[in-house]
Amino acid sequence: AADASVAVSYLRCEYLENPLGIGETKPRLSWVVKSLDRGEKQTAYQILVAPTPEGPATDTGHLWNSGKISSDATTQVIYNGTALTSRARCYWKVRSWGVNDSPSEWSAPGMWTEGLLQTSDWSASWIDGMKIGSSGPIYTPAIVSAYYKAVDGSGNIADVTTLLKNKAQA
């Protein structure tokens, strides 16, 4: 790789660097190829994707090893590895071949995580202040203060809290 005339950098997944929680099961990967040589270009690439940082560090692609792909594509290369699941972590790197057919050094690693991909992955429940504590409510919900613009068109701010207190005392 010492005589390679191209270098790979700026890895992106779905147009972002190291995105978290993407919603694509076949994300698009992109990178930038640099060279100081006139007329140089990428003629092939190889992508490694693994579920841990150790995969790319040891040149292992447990989720996907594209092998050498003859192509000048550096944008929107579709992930074509093992099916991804919700919350999956993916660590990846790329290398390119130039016109002299020498591979570049591997890029610095990038990563992405998958979001919640299936409706069944989502779960939630309402937070109800009246149910906090085991022996009854801890507090009674109340309006502490509120400010609204006057509706009479004067542009003055009305202190609704004071108006409500005065009305309650009357």
Side-chain angles (χ1 to χ4, degrees):
D3 61 344
S5 56
V6 295
V8 179
S9 63
Y10 191 46
L11 273 59
R12 296 172 320 283
C13 174
E14 288 297 312
Y15 305 101
L16 301 168
E17 287 185 86
N18 303 322
L20 302 176
I22 65 167
E24 299 294 327
T25 57
K26 292 201 173 270
R28 295 163 291 188
L29 307 175
S30 302
W31 57 92
V32 171
V33 174
K34 296 179 182 179
S35 177
L36 296 176
D37 297 341
R38 185 180 185 114
E40 186 61 78
K41 66 177 184 173
Q42 174 183 289
T43 59
Y45 65 83
Q46 181 179 8
I47 301 172
L48 296 179
V49 182
T52 65
E54 291 76 28
T58 59
D59 297 337
T60 306
H62 295 295
L63 295 174
W64 185 35
N65 180 345
S66 70
K68 183 179 178 183
I69 304 290
S70 294
S71 172
D72 63 354
T74 61
T75 62
Q76 299 185 359
V77 174
I78 297 173
Y79 170 83
N80 195 25
T82 303
L84 299 174
T85 59
S86 292
R87 300 179 186 91
R89 291 184 173 272
C90 301
Y91 298 87
W92 67 297
K93 66 181 181 178
V94 181
R95 67 178 170 176
S96 292
W97 280 259
V99 294
N100 65 359
D101 203 35
S102 293
S104 70
E105 296 290 330
W106 286 102
S107 68
M111 64 86 63
W112 80 84
T113 63
E114 291 292 322
L116 301 178
L117 302 173
Q118 306 298 323
T119 305
S120 60
D121 294 332
W122 291 85
S123 65
S125 59
W126 288 103
I127 299 173
D128 184 349
M130 297 303 287
K131 294 181 180 175
I132 295 175
S134 59
S135 62
I138 292 176
Y139 69 91
T140 301
I143 297 174
V144 177
S145 67
Y147 291 91
Y148 297 93
K149 282 199 169 192
V151 294
D152 63 3
S154 68
N156 295 324
I157 304 276
D159 180 353
V160 177
T161 305
T162 303
L163 292 172
L164 289 173
K165 285 179 185 176
N166 291 342
K167 186 172 183 166
Q169 293 173 354

